[in-house]
Amino acid sequence: MSEQSFWQFITEQHEKLLTQVVQHLGLTFLSLFLAIIIGVPLGILIARKRKLSGSVLGIAGILQTIPSIALLGFMIPAFGIGATPAIVALLIYALLPIIRNTYTGITEVDPAVTEAAKAMGMNRTQRLFKVELPLAMPVIIAGIRTAAVINVGVATLASFVAAGGLGEFIFGGISLNNTNMILAGAIPAALLAVVLDQTIAVLQKLSYKSVKKIQYIVPALLVIMGVIYLLTSAPDHKLKAGFTPEFMGRQDGDLGLRSVYGLDAHPLVVSDAIMYKAAYEKELDLISGYSTDGRIKAFDLYVLNDDKKIFPPYFAAPVIKTKTLAKFPELEKTLDLVSGKFNDSIMTDLNYKADYLKESPEKIARDFLVKMNLYKDPRKGNSQTIKIGSKIFGEQYILTEIYKMLIEGYTDYKVETKTGLGGTKICFDALMNDAIDFYPEYTGTGLLVLLKPSAKTVEEVSKSPEKTFDYVNMEFRKQYGIEWLKPLGFNNAYALMMRRQQARELKIKNISDLKNYLDSK
């Protein structure tokens, strides 16, 4: 398959890119507008009542230290998914620089100037608007400038809660090993930050009188962009669908649904961390998922039958460089101890314990190995160190812990885990660069995301799990010097799913039924 150039990608995706830019600006401007409305009065208040300054600035500072992903997670129970949690999170991030600079700007006004204003008979309100704010304005605008640049960057994470923006391309590209997609999101985001920063810098240099002349124009522009964002991000389908960034760009995902089934579900882009619960709570009606995910059982979801077979086999197995196997001679036979010890229901049950019962991956792994009579106390080896990587979902954490316990129990190797490495691209690049020694991968991902063969080859080798495994193992060895060890035994394929009761009511059993239902609406 020939590599697509960056400009070809931009040309093909220009409509989607434009939509994402508008959504990104809308998120940034609407949250910035609300932050100004809240932050400037708060800054004025604590400048007047200085005893409150420590508490208010302290709380704003603590809120800004919360990791953005975690903050978005906290927003979901209160505001659901979509624009609202993203705007609230961005508003919180923008508050600190605006409050702090407003407070600093007003408190640093020369006392002699305010005394002169008092002597002229000005009351407190007049002094604020005629003396203090004009003198403090450059510092206040500097705070708004900082907040705007912060929000452009943080807004890329809004795609995790189905709020759109340039994060859709960035995280989709990371998951899909697609550099063009990453650049298509990252370059516009960087340019937006620079343009916004320089535009506000121009305002910063204007006199207070000039700023007053445009005081209604700027807020109006911010609100207009926010309204446009809300319109472009509103779902336009009766059945609300949410797909992960990776699923959106894969042939065994949204691309395959469109080309093979002719199905356009008008999906929102959403993180797999929240999509199952969003379906359960009726925020979404249709989601992409993983066939062995424990949350299918936890939230009583129904997996639609893939009657046209767009999802190839996804059998899990460790991937490791040939030279690494030579370096650690005991490793292969140790990892092979769990080969064939899994099936789909066993893995689903382990995932259920993590996803719903909230058991730790360590406990789940230990209990599984004990049940299989494979657990041994760690030898506390002091030999060479093996670095195990994993992607950022529960199943991978469990498999990593299983491998760690096996290696520590059966060999003298030490183990270092590097979990939560994000999507396929990050894990694979880490493996190629020797940042990790191996990680659990899936044959379907190896085939479609990393090897990217022709459609004819995909169709041929996807006919059976064995053919898929043999092909990816042969090609990985040839192209990358990487081996696929023996499969674990379960197939974690992509799947489409709905609430069981809803699927029953709509008489949807397979993906073709879904297509017919949507066409009838």
Side-chain angles (χ1 to χ4, degrees):
M1 255 182 156
S2 60
E3 283 295 317
Q4 186 184 39
S5 76
F6 176 66
W7 293 114
Q8 283 175 320
F9 181 86
I10 293 294
T11 303
E12 286 181 12
Q13 301 285 336
H14 70 277
E15 288 183 11
K16 189 173 182 181
L17 179 61
L18 182 60
T19 300
Q20 289 185 12
V21 168
V22 171
Q23 290 176 342
H24 207 91
L25 284 172
L27 282 169
T28 303
F29 286 173
L30 201 52
S31 58
L32 188 63
F33 175 68
L34 295 172
I36 292 168
I37 288 175
I38 296 169
V40 172
L42 264 177
I44 293 168
L45 173 68
I46 61 176
R48 290 276 185 263
K49 301 183 183 297
R50 307 224 177 153
K51 287 182 180 177
L52 294 173
S53 63
S55 302
V56 171
L57 289 170
I59 291 168
I62 289 168
L63 288 172
Q64 198 173 53
T65 62
I66 300 172
S68 43
I69 289 285
L71 189 60
L72 283 167
F74 293 144
M75 296 293 116
I76 293 167
F79 301 107
I81 62 171
T84 307
I87 289 168
V88 173
L90 289 170
L91 157 66
I92 288 170
Y93 272 104
L95 278 178
L96 179 61
I98 294 174
I99 296 171
R100 185 174 55 205
N101 279 42
T102 303
Y103 169 76
T104 303
I106 291 174
T107 54
E108 288 186 355
V109 171
D110 191 339
V113 176
T114 52
E115 285 302 318
K118 266 187 198 177
M120 290 172 66
M122 288 186 187
N123 60 31
R124 179 177 278 193
T125 304
Q126 288 173 323
R127 289 198 303 274
L128 175 66
F129 286 100
K130 292 182 181 294
V131 178
E132 293 167 328
L133 278 179
L135 292 172
M137 192 54 66
V139 180
I140 295 171
I141 293 177
I144 294 170
R145 184 178 173 185
T146 302
V149 174
I150 289 171
N151 274 16
V152 170
V154 177
T156 56
L157 298 171
S159 63
F160 277 102
V161 291
L166 291 162
E168 289 186 10
F169 270 154
I170 294 171
F171 295 109
I174 290 171
S175 298
L176 290 163
N177 191 28
N178 189 326
T179 305
N180 290 335
M181 193 179 283
I182 298 171
L183 292 174
I187 291 173
L191 289 174
L192 287 179
V194 172
V195 169
L196 203 52
D197 180 64
Q198 292 306 305
T199 303
I200 298 174
V202 171
L203 290 177
Q204 198 175 350
K205 292 172 185 173
L206 295 176
S207 66
Y208 182 64
K209 284 184 179 178
S210 301
V211 172
K212 279 193 76 175
K213 287 178 184 176
I214 59 170
Q215 63 180 328
Y216 300 114
I217 297 174
V218 173
L221 285 173
L222 295 178
V223 172
I224 288 168
M225 284 302 299
V227 170
I228 292 172
Y229 159 71
L230 293 173
L231 291 174
T232 57
S233 62
D236 59 351
H237 217 284
K238 289 186 178 180
L239 207 65
K240 291 177 290 182
F243 297 162
T244 64
E246 183 165 356
F247 190 83
M248 287 294 293
R250 293 177 70 131
Q251 192 56 45
D252 61 332
D254 189 56
L255 299 180
L257 291 176
R258 291 170 188 267
S259 62
V260 178
Y261 284 96
L263 174 66
D264 181 5
H266 300 270
L268 298 168
V269 178
V270 64
S271 165
D272 58 3
I274 65 168
M275 64 184 179
Y276 294 90
K277 194 170 184 186
Y280 174 72
E281 293 177 347
K282 301 184 180 179
E283 301 240 14
L284 295 171
D285 299 311
L286 175 73
I287 62 170
S288 63
Y290 310 101
S291 59
T292 59
D293 200 293
R295 288 166 292 189
I296 297 172
K297 175 181 173 182
F299 296 129
D300 196 27
L301 301 177
Y302 176 75
V303 176
L304 305 187
N305 177 42
D306 174 25
D307 49 308
K308 293 189 179 178
K309 307 297 178 193
I310 65 165
F311 303 130
Y314 273 77
F315 279 79
V319 288
I320 186 167
K321 284 186 176 178
T322 308
K323 67 176 187 179
T324 307
L325 288 174
K327 181 181 175 184
F328 301 103
E330 295 178 71
L331 185 56
E332 183 170 2
K333 67 177 182 181
T334 303
L335 299 183
D336 283 347
L337 289 169
V338 284
S339 168
K341 293 291 191 292
F342 293 81
N343 58 35
D344 292 3
S345 61
I346 288 173
M347 195 67 242
T348 300
D349 187 55
L350 297 183
N351 286 330
Y352 175 77
K353 290 177 180 178
D355 297 328
Y356 192 68
L357 301 182
K358 305 303 179 188
E359 291 184 15
S360 70
E362 294 86 354
K363 182 181 185 307
I364 296 167
R366 190 178 190 280
D367 290 348
F368 171 77
L369 290 175
V370 168
K371 187 176 179 181
M372 293 289 162
N373 294 316
L374 289 171
Y375 183 79
K376 285 187 179 181
D377 289 327
R379 293 185 185 179
K380 302 195 186 315
N382 54 6
S383 182
Q384 299 155 290
T385 299
I386 294 174
K387 294 168 287 188
I388 312 174
S390 87
K391 300 182 189 182
I392 193 165
F393 57 95
E395 181 170 289
Q396 291 261 317
Y397 287 95
I398 295 167
L399 295 178
T400 300
E401 285 301 323
I402 288 172
Y403 288 137
K404 178 176 186 285
M405 289 176 187
L406 284 175
I407 294 167
E408 290 180 338
Y410 285 81
T411 75
D412 287 321
Y413 303 136
K414 291 186 290 184
V415 176
E416 183 182 328
T417 59
K418 295 180 182 288
T419 52
L421 291 178
T424 299
K425 179 174 174 55
I426 294 174
C427 276
F428 187 71
D429 285 352
L431 180 65
M432 290 298 292
N433 295 328
D434 297 320
I436 58 175
D437 292 309
F438 75 92
Y439 75 97
E441 188 52 279
Y442 304 90
T443 53
T445 300
L447 177 69
L448 294 170
V449 176
L450 297 169
L451 295 176
K452 300 178 183 175
S454 67
K456 184 180 178 182
T457 302
V458 171
E459 185 181 356
E460 178 61 32
V461 303
S462 296
K463 287 179 179 175
S464 75
E466 293 77 20
K467 277 193 172 186
T468 307
F469 179 84
D470 290 342
Y471 178 80
V472 296
N473 194 22
M474 177 182 69
E475 289 299 319
F476 266 66
R477 195 179 294 141
K478 191 192 304 179
Q479 294 184 33
Y480 307 117
I482 288 174
E483 307 266 349
W484 287 71
L485 302 188
K486 291 179 183 176
L488 293 166
F490 68 89
N491 178 27
N492 187 6
Y494 267 124
L496 283 189
M497 52 195 76
M498 305 171 67
R499 290 183 297 282
R500 186 176 298 278
Q501 184 179 349
Q502 183 189 32
R504 193 181 297 127
E505 288 171 358
L506 299 178
K507 297 180 180 174
I508 296 173
K509 291 185 176 180
N510 53 47
I511 299 175
S512 291
D513 292 338
L514 174 68
K515 166 74 165 65
N516 294 336
Y517 170 78
L518 293 177
D519 285 348
S520 68
K521 294 296 164 186

